[in-house]
Amino acid sequence: MSEAILRCESVSRIYRSGNRDLAVLKDISFSLEPGGFVAILGPSGSGKTTLLGLLAGLDRPTRGAIYLDGNDLGSLTEDERARLRVEKIGFVFQSFQLIPTLTAQENVQVPLELRGDRSAPQRARLLLDRVGLAGREHHYPAQLSGGEQQRVALARGFSIRPRVLFADEPTGNLDAATGATIIELMVELNKELETTLVLVTHDLDLAQRARRTIRLADGAIIADSAA
């Protein structure tokens, strides 16, 4: 069996709220193999987005350890974690998070240019074509529909061929038909590029597309289809 690309060991995240501690995540443990596709499922307030932030090295756990591609995130400095994200991680957000003053192509190029990739323009055009936006490269986000903006975000997320792509409610602002198209693209790119996909959602239908589901409630894992 391949070494886990992502491993979470007894992770808890506790915040101070007034005079008491608030445990948002409680003793979370799981591992994910390279190229896997897991959906982290749960209602609002279950800890999904907090967990995603920890897995991506955007925050540190109060207790426990997280390993991404063999790197102990807790042992890295903030700069080292930022560098790891540039090199190995892609993101797709519910709110698209496109830079409004950049064209579709320029938005996709950003992660590539941060790595000093001289093929950024060509790579960006190829990915935009792959997600069905050939001919829309020079349009700004305001000139694109919500579905088109999410396609740009998807192309950007996969642009560096990340080891792991984190998608936080990627269809939350889209109608059902457009959302289904976005998920099909994510599944296809997951297979083609062998990128490990971690999908955070509260949508049961969406979660069923994943090869594995982890259910959270009140900050704890209550079910894991791979367990």
Side-chain angles (χ1 to χ4, degrees):
M1 182 177 292
S2 302
E3 182 179 350
I5 183 69
L6 192 59
R7 192 164 82 252
C8 205
E9 297 182 349
S10 302
V11 165
S12 296
R13 186 65 175 98
I14 300 169
Y15 295 95
R16 192 70 178 171
S17 178
N19 295 320
R20 67 189 184 94
D21 289 337
L22 178 63
V24 178
L25 292 173
K26 308 165 188 173
D27 197 29
I28 301 293
S29 294
F30 69 92
S31 61
L32 186 59
E33 300 306 311
F37 180 7
V38 62
I40 299 174
L41 186 66
S44 296
S46 61
K48 303 186 305 297
T49 298
T50 298
L51 178 57
L52 184 147
L54 294 175
L55 296 175
L58 297 170
D59 191 12
R60 295 178 184 267
T62 307
R63 290 192 295 270
I66 297 170
Y67 298 87
L68 193 149
D69 201 19
N71 297 275
D72 178 0
L73 297 183
S75 71
L76 302 180
T77 65
E78 186 173 340
D79 285 346
E80 288 170 336
R81 283 183 282 129
R83 191 175 307 117
L84 188 71
R85 286 192 293 273
V86 168
E87 294 173 352
K88 297 178 181 288
I89 295 175
F91 293 96
V92 178
F93 302 96
Q94 176 178 347
S95 55
F96 317 138
Q97 298 290 333
L98 300 179
I99 300 171
T101 56
L102 299 183
T103 64
Q105 180 176 319
E106 290 166 342
N107 266 282
V108 177
Q109 288 176 202
V110 168
L112 294 163
E113 290 172 342
L114 287 173
R115 301 176 69 181
D117 190 335
R118 294 183 179 180
S119 68
Q122 297 94 321
R123 173 76 177 151
R125 286 193 294 272
L126 284 171
L127 277 166
L128 287 170
D129 182 43
R130 178 64 187 80
V131 299
L133 289 179
R136 308 284 276 172
E137 299 94 337
H138 303 299
H139 287 68
Y140 290 90
Q143 299 172 307
L144 301 171
S145 68
E148 288 173 329
Q149 289 185 60
Q150 194 60 297
R151 287 171 186 246
V152 175
L154 194 58
R156 181 185 60 190
F158 279 99
S159 63
I160 63 166
R161 295 182 180 268
R163 295 283 284 149
V164 182
L165 184 126
F166 295 104
D168 189 3
E169 300 283 7
T171 61
N173 284 336
L174 305 175
D175 62 75
T178 304
T181 300
I182 293 298
I183 292 304
E184 286 296 336
L185 282 168
M186 292 182 72
V187 170
E188 290 171 10
L189 289 167
N190 162 245
K191 292 177 180 177
E192 289 174 17
L193 302 180
E194 298 182 345
T195 292
T196 303
L197 186 56
V198 179
L199 171 67
V200 168
T201 185
H202 66 271
D203 186 331
L204 286 169
D205 292 334
L206 179 54
Q208 288 176 352
R209 296 303 310 275
R211 296 191 289 278
R212 176 182 179 187
T213 56
I214 293 174
R215 292 174 179 265
L216 295 183
D218 296 324
I221 292 178
I222 60 169
D224 184 343
S225 64

